[in-house]
Amino acid sequence: MTKLQQKKPKISMKQIEKIITEYQGKKWALIPLVQKIQEQAGYIPPETIPIIARHLGLFPAQVQGVVTFYAQLYTTPRGNNVVRVCRGTACHVRGGKSILKLVKQHLGIDEGETTEDMEYTLETVACIGVCALAPNLMINKETHGNMNPKKVARLFGKSEKE
Amino acid sequence: MDTITIILNGVEVSGYPSTTILDLARELGVNIPTLCHDPNLASTGACRLCLVEDERNGALLASCVTSITPGMNINTNSPRVIEHRKKILKLLLASHPDSCLVCDKGNRCQLRQLAAQMGIGLNEFQRLPQNDIIEEVNPFIERDLSKCIMCGKCIRADQELVVEGAIDYIHRGSLVKAATLNEVPLEKSECTFCGTCVAICPTGAIMEKERAYTGTVTNTVTTVCPYCGCGCTILLGVKDGKVIQARPAEGSPVNAGTLCVRGAYGWDFISSSERLTTPLIRENGEFREATWEEALAAVAEGLGKIKESSGPDSLAVYGSTRCTNEENYVLQRFTRGILGTNNIDNGSRLYSSASLTGLGATIGYAGTTGSFDVLERSKVIIVIGANPEISAPAVAYAIKRAAKYKGAELCVIDPCFTQLARFARFWLQPKVGTDIALLNGLAKVIIDKKKFDMEFVSRMTDNFRKWEESLERYTTDYVKKVTGIPAREIQQVAQLLAEAEEASIVYGNGVTQYATGTDAVIAIANLAMLTGNAGRLGGIFALQRENNARGACDTGALPDFLPGYLSITEPQNRQKFEEKWGVKLPSAAGYSALEMIEKIREGKLKGMLIMGENPVESFPQPAQVKEALSSLDFLVVADMFLSETARLASVVLPAASFAEKEGTFTNFEGRVQRLHKVTEPVGNSLPDVDILLGLAEAMDSPLPYSSSQEVMEEIEETVPFYRHLAFGEAEKKDSDLADVDDGGTATRRLHKGLFPSGFGRFSPVKYIAALPPEGYPLTLVVGSVRFSFGSGGRSSRSDRMSRFYNNGCIEINSTDAVKLGISDGDKVKVKSAHGELEGIASINADLHRGMLFAPVSLLGSSVYKLFATVIDPQSKTPAIKSCNVRLERV
Ligand code: SF4
Ligand code: SF4
Ligand code: SF4
Ligand code: FES
Ligand code: FES
């Protein structure tokens, strides 16, 4: 297996500022705007917060407040691939915890962290809705069911990564 | 309006619909504990501590957010209520550290008060992990979020009252806390150290930082902030006979729970070690300490001799906008009645007499026409030549609240970027000195489009045709050429102003401190009358720098007016006071402040009394002023400090601070407010009024007053618009601002748009181009900065403000800096045709190209040495706002 998925587009501050200007003066537009930035830049660079605030007529601290409130909005760069290990009940009773531990070992990072090469970000989620296949994990939008140590190694093991 | 009747704790009571249960209860003296509620903030119902029970159905209601409805049967203290309240308090305390006993919030902590009232011990619950103290280096505020109960009041105060936006919630769930952007310390954030959040925080989570200013106060006195013309009500807390902290008064119609850094922390100059504590007499060139008897006798003799040998008009008196109404009144009586001259003026000559002259000539009323609430409810606000964030913070708060939360459109007209511009729909940047062209241009657009208030103009004003004709030249194209403002913007702003239901124009020193200042004020008044925004709706807001600038003029510390703006040259005006005081008054108008210096140089003035002002630092060309004052035969200075001016005196008299005396101050709105004595004067210093009374006695002409109250009683009698204002009632809200129904000249306010003389008068004013002198391509603009007020006499002696302030920089636009090869932090020299000054450069990207900005006091030296003495012929105000300079690296 080669690359798990296409590298996400990284865009310049200039382009981000262009997105922001589209929403000029619309206070309600904060959430759609930051979502759009995140979609295109992969995260919401903190240096954009004062610019967003100025264009929307909000205080920078207010924008930060909203951005940090939603777990789905990030102010740090994210890996090219986001791994989400399920910690829902079904997965938990079928060894989800060990799966998480294994993934951590393979990637060498903790929950909420990103590998140095920017390949992976590791997160956990509550039930992802395919309990029958527990334990589960997701890589980006793809679900991987019936996880076991072997499979984890196959997904994240050194040999596969080259 | 119909009222609603409910039962409250078994008693039938009634209130207006939409009154909350809490408000009704408090009105009736029934106490309901609260934590997250504050009368100046919108209620959020977050803490639920204010629960009450509706006995009809047992519903528990948060009383601070629940309006009364007919038939409610409210019990504020039922067993269920008490049980719940205790539970909530315990939960709050569970996550609170055990440091109550050492917490310096002391008896101001509401959490602790409530726990004590309800008999809850401080450690029944399991503790939760906590955020920690935040490392900050500022000397004002410390945050320890482990004591935070997340009531959100600090955030709401910061965003909704002072509208700075320095803090907000960050994260969620158990991690949530109040933080600055990127969680930097306050000094690196937008925080202005206004102290509003400190006052409102119900716990010790946000509080004064330094030990010297913390602890339990034993006595609190309500008085007035001594700094700017807003005149905020402050509560000074005393511990061991010393003022240790200031809080805003919650219910003040001026500042409603807010302050700025000067009112919150800058008052500590009162305990500066530099305070003068004893009279000083110069002997063989050196000062020696003296008793009051000696000093007063020396002054009586010094002034008396000159009067005898050279006549009364060889004496002059300069009064202070930092002194009370009573002191200025006594000072002018002393000058006119005892010294026998009209050579008296006060410090407001330097910044607000263009308003007296200009507004007097047009609307016939010499000051601001509206009050804070009128400003805040305006639908359009134009701010021109003023930076209220610095010069009048409480005004800035009102403007920002209007713009951000009340739908007002804000237009800022200023060549420099000001923080207010962030809230503005329009920020027009006219070239320096072109305001009149712009104002005339706006008027012309409105007239051409027939958008003016015809009914008001025809019914209430005079001279319209002639004025209209004078505007012929001010086409949009011409104005664009002169000011550099795009035609479209001129038209848009004109339209905005014309169509506004209610508009206000706010202006400050950026208008008045020019040689054409009076004309610019007239242009503003013309525009206000044209759109019907003078007195009836909206208004003209003339900011004033110092606290009592308005009062010093009202009470007659002026060379041409008796108290109440009665012209001194009119015999019947003099007669009124001659009868009252039993003396003959001099009939010719006296010299204004800057003329005094000129007359000393001409040898016409030989002796001077200066009370609480520092002309050496605040007049143009300090070296010459110094030389002139030193050449006097006799100079007496009454001051709190040995100022640059006091150093030149023959006798120095130690004056008490604002916190050490009684009296009244009149703020820029015209609101007369009561000053209360908080502590005894330091050392042997005395309130200025006592100094004057002593002096009158030493001159064998005792004045018949034994207290400030008696002086105020006389002011009420002699100054028509202070009439309905009993000394004792000065603090009753709005008693001073109410429209008085008898119309006529006696009214304090413009009564429903009625001008005192019956008509407002349009007056043509011309823009005159000023050519910059060869070789000085840059324009230096001078103003106050947050931590150094005016020429810095008090702020530089405020312990905390002076430690935090970096001494000021010369700000320069980035493009100009590159061109001149100057980088941030470089040592530079500013040169004008009149002097030069060194300072440190600081790059300010928001500054217009070709402009520099500097505070009045730079590294302890006055920037006015760069200025020529150019005087507005109408107002006699010196042009000390800007001058032409060049800049060099050293
Ligand atoms: S810091 Fe004080 S005011 Fe702010 S949320 Fe905490 S307890 Fe309330
Ligand atoms: S001191 Fe004033 S500006 Fe600073 S955070 Fe508190 S309320 Fe905001
Ligand atoms: S706004 Fe003016 S009056 Fe109010 S606290 Fe600040 S300096 Fe004092
Ligand atoms: S618990 Fe893991 S998918 Fe439902
Ligand atoms: S005071 Fe009413 S909910 Fe906090």
Side-chain angles (χ1 to χ4, degrees):
Chain A
M1 218 167 115
T2 46
K3 279 272 178 226
L4 289 162
Q5 222 192 10
Q6 268 282 283
K7 219 176 162 195
K8 274 198 186 152
K10 289 277 181 289
I11 60 172
S12 71
M13 269 307 271
K14 263 245 158 62
Q15 287 164 297
I16 296 183
E17 278 181 39
K18 217 177 122 221
I19 304 175
I20 297 174
T21 5
E22 285 168 30
Y23 291 86
Q24 180 85 31
K26 300 174 185 151
K27 280 194 186 126
W28 55 266
L30 178 56
I31 304 273
L33 169 57
V34 288
Q35 274 175 328
K36 190 153 175 192
I37 293 175
Q38 178 158 308
E39 236 165 64
Q40 306 212 357
Y43 71 110
I44 303 155
E47 59 273 24
T48 61
I49 288 183
I51 309 170
I52 298 172
R54 195 170 68 232
H55 281 82
L56 265 43
L58 296 164
F59 295 123
Q62 245 175 333
V63 173
Q64 167 180 273
V66 171
V67 170
T68 56
F69 183 80
Y70 293 98
Q72 299 305 314
L73 298 173
Y74 317 105
T75 50
T76 45
R78 312 255 298 153
N80 292 331
N81 302 290
V82 178
V83 181
R84 295 189 178 91
V85 180
C86 180
R87 52 175 166 76
T89 325
C91 292
H92 182 78
V93 297
R94 297 176 61 177
K97 220 174 171 181
S98 328
I99 298 297
L100 177 62
K101 208 161 141 196
L102 281 172
V103 177
K104 281 185 187 171
Q105 272 167 13
H106 275 290
L107 297 179
I109 53 172
D110 226 327
E111 237 186 285
E113 292 180 353
T114 300
T115 55
E116 243 168 60
D117 61 3
M118 300 299 289
E119 271 307 300
Y120 294 102
T121 296
L122 177 60
E123 290 177 352
T124 60
V125 286
C127 177
I128 49 180
V130 281
C131 308
L133 301 177
N136 291 305
L137 66 75
M138 285 181 86
I139 301 177
N140 301 323
K141 292 189 171 145
E142 212 174 310
T143 312
H144 299 255
N146 292 323
M147 290 308 291
N148 56 41
K150 246 208 187 129
K151 276 189 168 176
V152 173
R154 214 184 314 136
L155 283 173
F156 304 107
K158 287 266 182 287
S159 58
E160 319 290 324
K161 256 189 93 184
E162 270 136 37
Chain B
M1 219 193 307
D2 287 341
T3 56
I4 291 175
T5 303
I6 68 165
I7 297 172
L8 185 74
N9 292 348
V11 182
E12 221 174 75
V13 296
S14 47
Y16 292 113
S18 84
T19 308
T20 61
I21 301 171
L22 178 68
D23 286 343
L24 185 62
R26 289 204 166 158
E27 209 174 286
L28 298 164
V30 174
N31 180 40
I32 301 175
T34 58
L35 275 174
C36 72
H37 169 85
D38 185 273
N40 291 313
L41 294 172
S43 293
T44 54
C47 76
R48 316 310 277 185
L49 198 76
C50 64
L51 287 180
V52 295
E53 183 172 357
D54 188 342
E55 295 201 320
R56 289 177 304 177
N57 49 18
L60 289 175
L61 308 166
S63 64
C64 71
V65 286
T66 313
S67 302
I68 51 172
T69 50
M72 272 181 168
N73 183 356
I74 299 296
N75 188 334
T76 65
N77 268 321
S78 70
R80 279 187 66 214
V81 165
I82 297 205
E83 187 196 319
H84 271 87
R85 233 178 245 161
K86 279 196 175 164
K87 223 182 254 166
I88 292 165
L89 257 186
K90 283 182 188 166
L91 275 173
L92 289 173
L93 287 165
S95 48
H96 206 76
D98 251 343
S99 51
C100 269
L101 292 178
V102 292
C103 173
D104 287 321
K105 196 87 170 194
N107 59 358
R108 280 193 301 160
C109 175
Q110 291 174 29
L111 192 59
R112 188 163 111 181
Q113 286 169 13
L114 288 170
Q117 272 164 29
M118 287 186 214
I120 298 174
L122 290 172
N123 42 20
E124 275 177 49
F125 264 70
Q126 184 202 338
R127 319 248 142 224
L128 301 172
Q130 288 297 346
N131 305 308
D132 279 319
I133 295 190
I134 300 166
E135 281 300 324
E136 326 220 40
V137 299
N138 77 78
F140 310 110
I141 299 175
E142 177 174 83
R143 293 177 295 159
D144 173 1
L145 296 185
S146 68
K147 295 174 184 165
C148 173
I149 56 167
M150 283 316 298
C151 68
K153 273 163 128 173
C154 56
I155 294 172
R156 285 182 284 149
D158 174 67
Q159 298 191 1
E160 294 166 24
L161 298 182
V162 298
V163 205
E164 302 294 356
I167 47 174
D168 203 333
Y169 294 108
I170 190 171
H171 306 308
R172 48 191 184 126
S174 60
L175 290 175
V176 69
K177 59 181 170 178
T180 59
L181 183 62
N182 302 323
E183 299 187 57
V184 295
L186 286 175
E187 59 270 9
K188 296 216 167 82
S189 75
E190 308 267 329
C191 175
T192 62
F193 300 104
C194 71
T196 303
C197 57
V198 180
I200 215 167
C201 176
T203 72
I206 310 185
M207 50 183 295
E208 285 83 7
K209 175 147 184 182
E210 301 185 340
R211 280 219 74 92
Y213 303 101
T214 53
T216 292
V217 305
T218 45
N219 182 23
T220 302
V221 180
T222 305
T223 189
V224 183
C225 169
Y227 279 99
C228 86
C230 295
C232 292
T233 318
I234 54 176
L235 308 176
L236 292 183
V238 184
K239 181 179 137 190
D240 303 330
K242 207 178 144 209
V243 180
I244 59 158
Q245 52 198 217
R247 265 185 303 141
E250 237 173 44
S252 163
V254 173
N255 52 313
T258 68
L259 284 178
C260 79
V261 67
R262 300 189 287 255
Y265 306 106
W267 47 265
D268 55 7
F269 65 83
I270 60 179
S271 41
S272 157
S273 57
E274 288 179 52
R275 282 286 301 276
L276 291 171
T277 53
T278 175
L280 301 172
I281 295 182
R282 185 181 297 278
E283 261 174 23
N284 310 323
E286 300 275 324
F287 282 129
R288 71 158 174 93
E289 298 194 348
T291 63
W292 274 106
E293 290 70 35
E294 282 177 287
L296 292 177
V299 176
E301 191 196 320
L303 296 177
K305 254 197 205 152
I306 295 174
K307 181 176 170 182
E308 206 157 291
S309 60
S310 313
D313 286 332
S314 57
L315 293 173
V317 171
Y318 189 38
S320 177
T321 49
R322 296 162 208 165
C323 292
T324 63
N325 290 324
E326 294 74 12
E327 288 166 343
N328 277 294
Y329 186 88
V330 171
L331 183 70
Q332 62 87 34
R333 173 165 177 184
F334 173 81
T335 309
R336 298 195 155 103
I338 299 178
L339 298 182
T341 176
N342 285 318
N343 293 335
I344 176 169
D345 204 357
N346 73 75
S348 75
R349 181 67 61 190
L350 300 175
Y351 44 87
S352 63
S353 50
S355 296
L356 287 189
T357 324
L359 295 180
T362 44
I363 62 173
Y365 173 77
T368 293
T369 68
S371 54
F372 270 100
D373 47 317
V374 172
L375 178 60
E376 196 165 335
R377 68 164 196 239
S378 297
K379 289 295 165 240
V380 168
I381 300 175
I382 295 193
V383 178
I384 175 165
N387 184 7
E389 284 264 2
I390 304 298
S391 63
V395 170
Y397 302 155
I399 294 174
K400 289 190 288 182
R401 288 193 296 261
K404 196 163 168 71
Y405 302 113
K406 302 193 174 165
E409 299 281 7
L410 175 61
C411 167
V412 172
I413 303 177
D414 206 306
C416 301
F417 175 82
T418 63
Q419 289 298 319
L420 263 194
R422 290 182 306 169
F423 299 83
R425 171 138 161 240
F426 294 99
W427 169 30
L428 310 187
Q429 289 178 275
K431 294 189 189 130
V432 171
T434 63
D435 290 345
I436 296 178
L438 177 61
L439 291 161
N440 281 350
L442 290 172
K444 182 160 169 61
V445 174
I446 295 174
I447 295 176
D448 287 351
K449 294 216 165 123
K450 302 234 168 345
K451 286 262 168 92
F452 60 97
D453 191 334
M454 280 187 216
E455 187 258 321
F456 183 84
V457 167
S458 58
R459 203 164 54 84
M460 307 295 309
T461 67
D462 200 355
N463 210 29
F464 179 71
R465 286 280 157 256
K466 193 144 168 249
W467 174 59
E468 187 188 1
E469 280 160 26
S470 78
L471 295 177
E472 207 48 52
R473 182 172 147 213
Y474 298 90
T475 60
T476 313
D477 279 342
Y478 171 75
V479 175
K480 176 182 152 202
K481 220 172 74 206
V482 171
T483 60
I485 296 171
R488 223 174 72 103
E489 290 186 6
I490 300 173
Q491 266 146 2
Q492 284 173 325
V493 170
Q495 175 163 2
L496 200 65
L497 180 62
E499 289 176 355
E501 218 178 285
E502 177 154 19
S504 290
I505 306 180
V506 180
Y507 71 89
N509 293 355
V511 166
T512 55
Q513 287 184 323
Y514 280 94
T516 53
T518 306
D519 282 351
V521 171
I522 291 174
I524 288 171
N526 286 338
L527 198 55
M529 289 191 292
L530 180 70
T531 51
N533 287 301
R536 182 178 56 170
L537 294 170
I540 303 170
F541 292 81
L543 302 184
Q544 69 191 23
R545 186 168 80 193
E546 292 281 346
N547 184 306
N548 202 27
R550 177 91 175 244
C553 296
D554 286 351
T555 50
L558 292 170
D560 42 357
F561 291 109
L562 284 157
Y565 304 105
L566 297 178
S567 170
I568 188 81
T569 50
E570 294 287 329
Q572 80 268 25
N573 292 342
R574 287 199 306 275
Q575 197 190 341
K576 174 174 158 190
F577 286 90
E578 283 169 346
E579 275 165 18
K580 175 122 206 88
W581 298 339
V583 287
K584 192 93 186 117
L585 296 182
S587 59
Y591 303 134
S592 64
L594 284 112
E595 285 167 337
M596 291 177 189
I597 301 298
E598 202 185 303
K599 296 297 165 190
I600 300 175
R601 291 157 61 97
E602 288 172 12
K604 295 208 173 103
L605 283 185
K606 303 204 181 314
M608 244 185 118
L609 161 62
I610 298 176
M611 190 170 89
E613 289 287 334
N614 188 8
V616 173
E617 297 274 313
S618 58
F619 283 15
Q621 296 182 306
Q624 287 179 22
V625 173
K626 207 164 161 178
E627 194 192 298
L629 292 175
S630 325
S631 76
L632 285 167
D633 291 347
F634 192 79
L635 171 65
V636 49
V637 176
D639 206 307
M640 284 184 289
F641 302 105
L642 197 60
S643 65
E644 289 300 314
T645 304
R647 284 174 212 279
L648 309 175
S650 322
V651 178
V652 179
L653 306 174
S657 75
F658 77 104
E660 299 152 4
K661 61 188 177 191
E662 301 277 335
T664 57
F665 277 158
T666 306
N667 80 346
F668 87 103
E669 305 163 280
R671 192 185 297 274
V672 182
Q673 308 193 95
R674 185 82 153 74
L675 207 63
H676 287 284
K677 181 161 156 183
V678 187
T679 54
E680 287 303 321
V682 301
N684 289 325
S685 65
L686 284 177
D688 294 273
V689 69
D690 294 338
I691 297 178
L692 289 170
L693 295 179
L695 197 52
E697 208 164 302
M699 297 185 83
D700 294 326
S701 320
L703 293 172
Y705 312 109
S706 62
S707 67
S708 282
Q709 171 145 7
E710 282 181 26
V711 181
M712 187 34 101
E713 276 159 16
E714 183 172 320
I715 297 176
E716 281 169 35
E717 197 188 316
T718 56
V719 179
F721 47 79
Y722 279 65
R723 187 167 65 196
H724 51 295
L725 200 191
F727 189 80
E729 301 202 357
E731 55 224 3
K732 266 203 205 139
K733 262 201 232 174
D734 285 336
S735 66
D736 44 330
L737 292 183
D739 280 333
V740 178
D741 270 326
D742 58 10
T745 47
T747 51
R748 185 82 185 128
R749 300 263 127 204
L750 299 184
H751 179 60
K752 302 197 166 74
L754 269 179
F755 297 104
S757 61
F759 284 101
R761 191 172 174 80
F762 285 104
S763 313
V765 283
K766 274 202 297 245
Y767 160 72
I768 298 163
L771 289 177
E774 207 62 43
Y776 300 99
L778 300 171
T779 305
L780 170 73
V781 173
V782 171
S784 283
V785 290
R786 178 164 290 122
F787 301 105
S788 173
F789 188 68
S791 54
R794 286 160 299 173
S795 48
S796 69
R797 289 168 176 109
S798 155
D799 170 34
R800 285 170 291 184
M801 292 220 298
S802 61
R803 264 189 284 141
F804 193 61
Y805 181 53
N806 64 3
N807 276 321
C809 292
I810 296 169
E811 294 176 22
I812 178 170
N813 160 287
S814 24
T815 321
D816 289 330
V818 171
K819 217 172 72 191
L820 294 167
I822 289 169
S823 30
D824 215 65
D826 279 357
K827 213 165 173 208
V828 288
K829 187 182 274 178
V830 197
K831 280 189 177 162
S832 77
H834 305 277
E836 56 179 63
L837 192 71
E838 284 192 5
I840 306 294
S842 154
I843 312 273
N844 177 349
D846 292 318
L847 215 56
H848 223 337
R849 279 194 65 180
M851 287 189 48
L852 302 176
F853 176 87
V856 177
S857 170
L858 199 61
L859 300 170
S861 169
S862 164
V863 289
Y864 294 142
K865 66 163 83 150
L866 299 172
F867 286 72
T869 310
V870 176
I871 289 178
D872 175 353
Q874 300 175 73
S875 67
K876 311 266 170 63
T877 294
I880 45 174
K881 193 67 199 173
S882 73
C883 69
N884 301 100
V885 297
R886 66 164 178 263
L887 192 68
E888 287 165 10
R889 257 178 69 179
V890 211

